[in-house]
Amino acid sequence: MDVNMTRIRPYGDTLDDGYMQLSFTLPVPLSAEARKAAEILAEKMGLEDVKVVYAHSIADSFSFFVVYGRCIHSVDMTAIDIPKVDADFMSYEEINEFIEKRIGRKIVVVAACTGTDAHTVGIDAIINMKGYRGEYGLERYPWFVTYNLGSQVPNEDLVAKAIQVDADAILVSQVVTQRNIHIDNLTHLAELVEAEGIRDRVLLIVGGPRISHELAIELGYDAGFGPGTLPSHVGSFIAQALERSIRNRAEAKGAYPCQMNP
Amino acid sequence: MDVNMTRIRPYGDTLDDGYMQLSFTLPVPLSAEARKAAEILAEKMGLEDVKVVYAHSIADSFSFFVVYGRCIHSVDMTAIDIPKVDADFMSYEEINEFIEKRIGRKIVVVAACTGTDAHTVGIDAIINMKGYRGEYGLERYPWFVTYNLGSQVPNEDLVAKAIQVDADAILVSQVVTQRNIHIDNLTHLAELVEAEGIRDRVLLIVGGPRISHELAIELGYDAGFGPGTLPSHVGSFIAQALERSIRNRAEAKGAYPCQMNP
Amino acid sequence: MMRLDIDMALVDRARWAASRIGDGIQPTIDAYTTTSIERCVLRLLGVNGVDENDVPLPNIIVDQAQASGLLEDGIAYWIGSAMLHEGASLPEVIARLSSGKLSLDKVRPQDREGVEQTIQHEANRVCANITQLRLEREQLITELNSTVPPYLYIIVATGNIYEDVIQAKAAAKCGADIIAVIRSTGQSLLDYVPYGPTTEGFGGTYATQANFRIMREALDEASRECGRYIRLVNYCSGLCMPEIAAMGALERLDMMLNDAMYGILFRNINMLRTFIDQHFSRMINAYAGVIINTGEDNYLTTADAYEEAHTVLASQFINEALALRSGLEAGQIGLGHAYEMDPDITDGFLYELAQAEMARIIFPDAPLKYMPPTKHMTGNIFKGHLMDAMFNLAGVISGQTIQLLGILTEHVHTPHLQDRYLAIENAKYIMNNARHLREEISYKKGGIMEKRANEVLAKATSMLEQVADISLMSAIEEGMFASIKRERTGGRGLDGVIRKSERYYNPFPEIFMKEITSCNFSPVLWGDEVKG
Amino acid sequence: MMRLDIDMALVDRARWAASRIGDGIQPTIDAYTTTSIERCVLRLLGVNGVDENDVPLPNIIVDQAQASGLLEDGIAYWIGSAMLHEGASLPEVIARLSSGKLSLDKVRPQDREGVEQTIQHEANRVCANITQLRLEREQLITELNSTVPPYLYIIVATGNIYEDVIQAKAAAKCGADIIAVIRSTGQSLLDYVPYGPTTEGFGGTYATQANFRIMREALDEASRECGRYIRLVNYCSGLCMPEIAAMGALERLDMMLNDAMYGILFRNINMLRTFIDQHFSRMINAYAGVIINTGEDNYLTTADAYEEAHTVLASQFINEALALRSGLEAGQIGLGHAYEMDPDITDGFLYELAQAEMARIIFPDAPLKYMPPTKHMTGNIFKGHLMDAMFNLAGVISGQTIQLLGILTEHVHTPHLQDRYLAIENAKYIMNNARHLREEISYKKGGIMEKRANEVLAKATSMLEQVADISLMSAIEEGMFASIKRERTGGRGLDGVIRKSERYYNPFPEIFMKEITSCNFSPVLWGDEVKG
Ligand code: B12
Ligand code: B12
Ligand SMILES: Cc1ncc(COP(=O)(O)O)c(C=O)c1O
Ligand SMILES: Cc1ncc(COP(=O)(O)O)c(C=O)c1O
């Protein structure tokens, strides 16, 4: 198959045929005109050969449609450059060894599901002993000290705890995304951390089913983790990022010795 | 609900939220970049708030996506003006009575599934005794004489038969639509009928799951019938259209009497 | 013939243990009242509305009474005293209290007998009202209901009651039998009930009396159009359990999410507060002919459904024991369970079916409420739709009563209109296509399913016996439920728990329990078809 | 224990009637040969290729022979004569015939015994080749196969063999066990087999020997990658049945759509031609260890699946009787049936399951091929996906061997890549989730299912007895199958039917039947798991 990476198009059963499936509801009673409207809408979206293959009336005043068509748009994959979590993934043993050898002290993390969000399963999967998909959570790692504050924690409390225990990383989980509540809440947390003057001392990490690393970076976080994240992914990142930042800080010290002894 | 008919948009759970669902496959291995490509593609189609909610690798070299987003396009329903089959639907009894009283002779129809198409279930549903969804087919109507030629009939044979039995209507079924074969075949049939000089004497009617009246008109047919058509729908149209055309022809005769006796 | 050979001796032991658990906690429940119970009494007596700061009047009056140390006597006692003291009618007293012209701490305590007489009269009137509504429901059911169980239960959750109405009616027209208005996030932690119609809920719509009324009216209309009685559900849960029960009774809600331990475990509400509140709220539900839905599904959103199946059963036994103590009939106790196993388990369908059949056998008269797959739903809406189908199949095979429909977009968003249509289509197709499969098949003696069911039962029984030995509250303190530890004095709402005084007075429990325990109370909950 | 109590006396009667039907038609079959059989003999002897007008050489030679009236003796007789006459080797004779340097009508007929000796030798070599390929397959199966039935059968149909390869490999990686390359529309009516790799099929890809080879190679590769032997299917059907059987044998195809009556009823091919061709083609399939798939599903695409269920069963009996007469082992007779009832029938799932269980009981050793819902699939891909799931459930419960996967877009287009992925995901989920349900449940004595199965059986039996009484060909003339009437002398291909002369010679039937009926032929068709 000779795929042109600069013009990727959907694949039905032949390269570049552009086939895709749509389903949606229009707030009008079912009629030949409503069907036509569905077709026109799909055309406006850039579909050709539009087939409205199913149309069903919902409660007399709505119409549901299933549509197939060929998308005329294409995407240049070679131009896509998205940030990726900067870490080599290591195993449980490797992470512990890495911390022992290269950092030489336990890493302290605080974690919570903040705001009105009460979905703790995701953050628990990362932090708690029990872990996720057969992997232990960070709590079980001898070289991590963890504080999992649970659900619906005010951002203020999370930051206060981080200061209190001198945390190396703040882990926040956001699952509910309705009306972009997670964006507001994450922005608020980032501002708080900044305002408390600890931003350069902690890694700020967010996770959740709708979180991407790209989004996390946009919001000023150090990393973002989406669905399917394993504790070791997060552990690897924290260990390596912390080691980097300690090294940088040390170098910074070396570079400006006068600043250290004013 | 206060729907603006000039700007219809998809409805998720609030008027004009624009929500729709997409699924498609890209011919690239699954990766963060592929996910991003799916997102960009949806954006190019005019979706906002795009969520790639599922991404799955198919056979290492394809990626399947389920996407939700809000469509920014809208459709002006008030501007949609599509042709509709011009008939009042009547029942079995009404149709027979109509023909008896207003036409006064039996209506002759020939029917077939032409070209390479072998899907006879649809045309049989309309023509054969047994009928469809509890309705008798036209064969059962005392005021119809029907010839159902079956499947994979050459267009030439169908037209020849129509001439032979002096048919009032030619009914053609087209189910296979791959590579638009039905369009080619229907165009060919219409041209044949024209070439044989019988176009003004017969009603040319097409049906099938992907046929709309609009398409039929475009192709120069008198009517098109899609999924769910019942024999009585077709019977009503034929009876009424035939009556109209007989009436028109009679009027035409009246208007140019000299032409009749040259 | 029993469909699955369940060890009935174990069932008896489990039920007996649950009964001991109930007996253990009941004296504590009886010794206390709560601010929410007293606010509820006020609501029943007709106090409604909010002040200029949107604070509900029941809260204002009860808070004042609590501050003045009057609450241990029961707010009814003081209202009665006020009527006698002021020589005013109940509406007048309420009006004076509401406008701040009268304060209860200024009222001279009256003779208990006189108070009782005065209030009893008013309470009877309210109760007659509720009975009237119950009869109205029963009549509608007899008149209209014609579908067969499992009843299709669908949620709406737009946050705006008026949008909810559109969604709910559409769902009813598609074939839903029961509509639940999901409550706005966080309402369970509010120590008051919001007021009036609301349009800005979050992930759900606020439970207010006005919202109840708006939706009930809409559904009555839909019932008539559809020729089916469409039931309405809301959440009788959180810090305002009793008040919401009262609101539901007054607005003819048909079902209420109402669990004895949910608030403790999953919302960190104080356990004393919860046990006391659930008891009184359940009496109201019992009297109003409401079916409660318990929340056992919640265990499985955090725990593994295969490993922790016995905790669901144990909780069902406890919910049953406590519900019976509040006067709920077996037919009103909609015990919850859920289809939440990992879809990729080999023979997972057999384990789910075993669990569902087991619940059906152990609680033969309960209108079991079966919750759909949620946790293992992903953005793969196609596979999700299949998981929901298998859930629907398990529901119709095992003869569930209330089937909360799974939605293919569970992982994605609160249901859109089309998601609901597809969910109902799914259930109708499966349940019709396999309608009598239940009667057609039997299970292998000693097979996978029978073994599984008995294992789960054995584990639940031993868990219940342990709980009964150490007492329910200690068991919760030790984290025996959902691996969550709660302290007796921890959680929200303990400040609203008040030990009753000698002269504590609340007219309602007596009225409720008298009617309930008299033979002539047996609400019509479903049409005739359920028996069939 | 029998899963459904089927009246076995009726089964015996039905089988006996089918046997009488077979006996009735066999003498006619034996008396004739056809142009396609003779072309097939040529192909087996090594004639291949096309002339400058793309006419296949077997056609050119056989047409000439027919024109000269030589065909009644069998083409093998004349090839043998030519070898003796010209004193040339087989390849040489073929080369001369191909180049037009030699014409059979110029050949002097040789002594029958000498011809036999000459040709026999060549035929044995070819047969050894086929045996070698069969053993190769058996070794691969033993080495690789590790899945359990129902085997997942998936179609590809792009029209382009190279695109088909991409689709087929992707499907194998998703979990398909069997790949069928759907044939281009109308090929069954071609009286020749197209040549070479093709890229322009219509609704399917041409069946050519080159295409067979390309796909088999691709699937061998996929088999190794997936650690599962991936089977390849094509259509041994239409006017070239025997030739395609030969091509399949030579390219190690594993299964062939091959029905005794499909061509007559659904393609209006002459009945004599069809009966003669199917017999010879099945001998080849038998010898090559190929599993045939009969086409009973086709009845239900035009007739109602509930009303006409007995015609499917009747046809299964006839296909079995005729297949046995061609030397096919029970394990090679993949009788077809289909899940085609209207999804909105109450208890439709029970009727489908009854039919599937019945087939399983009546044909215990047949690798039943179960066809998915197609007719009632609409553009509602969501409901369609559920119908496919119920079909998959019926397949795993009733223990089908070959499950042709339903595709959610059945109403819309030939399957796209993602449709196939979703179909396989559907089957894997359902079959794993309910893997041992079959062993777990039993059906009610005298229940809906048992009654239904016995009704269908009784109807099929009386139909078969009627057919046996009037003979199969008369029955078809009377429209007893699929309500379609076909005349004995009607339909395509009668001109290719030739009565054999006294000296008719064809070396293959004898070789095939000798090996087949000797005890040491029992092809390895599946891995060990099937028995388990
Ligand atoms: C379980 C559940 C609940 C449970 C939660 C129990 C608990 N203690 O967590 C209960 C029943 C209480 C609940 C309630 C509600 N829920 Co809920 N719930 C779910 C459900 C079914 C599963 C979520 C889950 O546990 N996933 C499993 C975990 C392991 O996955 P995860 O969270 O993605 O975590 C992984 C990664 O994202 C990552 N990760 C996550 N966090 C973090 C953090 C860090 C630092 C890192 C590194 C990684 C990381 O690692 C994890 C492991 O790989 C989803 C639907 C679904 N199937 O997704 C709805 C869902 C999330 N809920 C929803 C809603 C609306 C609610 C309610 C608001 C409904 C209501 N009005 O009552 C309430 C209120 C809750 C609240 N205030 O937040 C919606 C959210 C819609 C949206 N997108 O905004 C969903 C999608 C359901 C729906 N379709 O309506 N819910
Ligand atoms: C049954 C069937 C067959 C049967 C046909 C038997 C027969 N005698 O008809 C068999 C098994 C033979 C068959 C074969 C093939 N089929 Co086919 N088949 C179907 C199937 C499952 C159902 C079609 C049907 O009967 N519908 C029921 C009737 C009642 O509906 P209808 O045709 O829409 O008719 C109604 C209206 O449209 C209207 N109408 C129809 N015609 C007319 C005419 C007039 C004049 C009027 C007024 C009204 C009218 O009235 C009818 C009643 O309401 C569809 C899939 C599906 N579920 O739709 C595939 C389908 C149509 N087949 C398909 C294909 C590709 C084939 C093959 C080419 C495959 C192959 N390579 O072998 C072959 C070859 C057939 C050929 N040469 O045409 C594709 C077509 C794809 C496309 N859009 O182009 C489909 C969609 C399946 C798929 N997804 O691949 N098929
Ligand atoms: C018994 C019960 N109450 C209440 C709720 C709802 O949650 P909240 O406490 O957020 O209102 C649930 C959730 O499923 C429940 O099961
Ligand atoms: C036995 C058999 N042969 C052939 C076919 C395919 O059709 P065609 O004759 O168009 O190749 C089918 C269709 O399902 C079939 O069942």
Side-chain angles (χ1 to χ4, degrees), chain C residues 345-377:
Chain C
I345 297 179
T346 300
D347 288 325
F349 182 71
L350 280 68
Y351 301 127
E352 291 285 10
L353 194 55
Q355 181 94 8
E357 290 280 5
M358 177 185 71
R360 188 65 293 169
I361 292 166
I362 297 179
F363 307 103
D365 299 319
L368 292 176
K369 171 160 177 214
Y370 203 22
M371 303 288 288
T374 64
K375 196 166 64 166
H376 293 284
M377 295 289 281

Side-chain angles (χ1 to χ4, degrees), chain D residues 204-449:
Chain D
T205 306
Y206 286 102
T208 73
Q209 191 161 349
N211 287 349
F212 285 8
R213 188 174 318 132
I214 291 167
M215 187 55 88
R216 181 65 271 171
E217 264 169 28
L219 292 186
D220 279 350
E221 212 180 289
S223 298
R224 263 176 256 279
E225 279 177 39
C226 300
R228 259 176 11 255
Y229 183 60
I230 312 291
R231 289 174 177 77
L232 175 57
V233 192
N234 212 296
Y235 291 73
C236 183
S237 204
L239 285 166
C240 296
M241 259 191 199
E243 288 173 273
I244 293 188
M247 287 158 41
L250 295 170
E251 302 301 339
R252 187 160 42 77
L253 264 69
D254 306 285
M255 298 188 186
M256 283 286 186
L257 268 75
N258 182 262
D259 191 284
M261 301 194 288
Y262 169 85
I264 308 169
L265 299 171
F266 302 107
R267 285 293 171 266
N268 196 12
I269 295 176
N270 174 266
M271 60 175 89
L272 216 54
R273 170 76 176 258
T274 300
F275 283 123
I276 299 162
D277 279 354
Q278 61 88 28
H279 182 62
F280 187 59
S281 70
R282 284 175 171 195
M283 283 197 272
I284 301 175
N285 286 327
Y287 186 74
V290 163
I291 291 172
I292 64 163
N293 297 170
T294 61
E296 278 78 5
D297 52 295
N298 293 287
Y299 291 93
L300 305 183
T301 62
T302 50
D304 181 80
Y306 182 83
E307 300 298 335
E308 301 294 322
H310 63 286
T311 61
V312 167
L313 181 57
S315 171
Q316 287 173 326
F317 274 114
I318 295 174
N319 260 315
E320 182 194 46
L322 294 179
L324 290 170
R325 277 164 180 72
S326 294
L328 283 158
E329 296 236 325
Q332 286 175 286
I333 308 174
L335 298 170
H337 56 149
Y339 189 102
E340 280 283 21
M341 287 183 204
D342 183 338
D344 296 333
I345 297 179
T346 300
D347 289 327
F349 182 71
L350 280 68
Y351 301 127
E352 292 284 10
L353 194 54
Q355 180 93 6
E357 290 279 6
M358 178 185 71
R360 188 67 290 171
I361 293 166
I362 296 180
F363 307 103
D365 298 320
L368 293 176
K369 174 165 174 208
Y370 203 20
M371 303 288 290
T374 64
K375 195 166 67 168
H376 294 283
M377 294 289 282
T378 67
N380 185 349
I381 55 173
F382 297 99
K383 182 164 182 186
H385 208 43
L386 301 184
M387 289 160 59
D388 289 336
M390 292 303 273
F391 161 68
N392 287 330
L393 185 65
V396 72
I397 294 181
S398 64
Q400 301 300 314
T401 315
I402 304 169
Q403 186 94 0
L404 194 148
L405 298 192
I407 306 272
L408 75 173
T409 53
E410 169 63 33
H411 178 78
V412 185
H413 46 230
T414 49
H416 289 173
L417 190 91
Q418 70 186 44
D419 304 338
R420 234 178 263 115
Y421 146 65
L422 290 171
I424 294 170
E425 178 178 81
N426 182 330
K428 292 214 291 193
Y429 162 54
I430 299 289
M431 292 183 185
N432 180 57
N433 207 231
R435 177 55 68 191
H436 297 99
L437 192 55
R438 172 170 175 70
E439 290 156 32
E440 197 67 17
I441 59 175
S442 50
Y443 304 114
K444 188 169 162 184
K445 297 288 143 224
I448 298 179
M449 289 175 56

Side-chain angles (χ1 to χ4, degrees), chain C residues 24-25 28 32 264 268-275 470-478 485-495 497:
Chain C
I25 191 102
T28 313
Y32 294 91
I264 307 169
N268 198 9
I269 295 174
N270 175 267
M271 61 173 92
L272 215 55
R273 171 76 176 258
T274 299
F275 283 122
I470 63 172
S471 94
L472 184 51
M473 296 217 271
S474 306
I476 295 173
E477 286 189 314
E478 292 189 8
K485 291 189 186 191
R486 298 293 187 206
E487 278 166 52
R488 212 171 283 239
T489 54
R492 306 187 200 224
L494 182 59
D495 53 355
V497 176

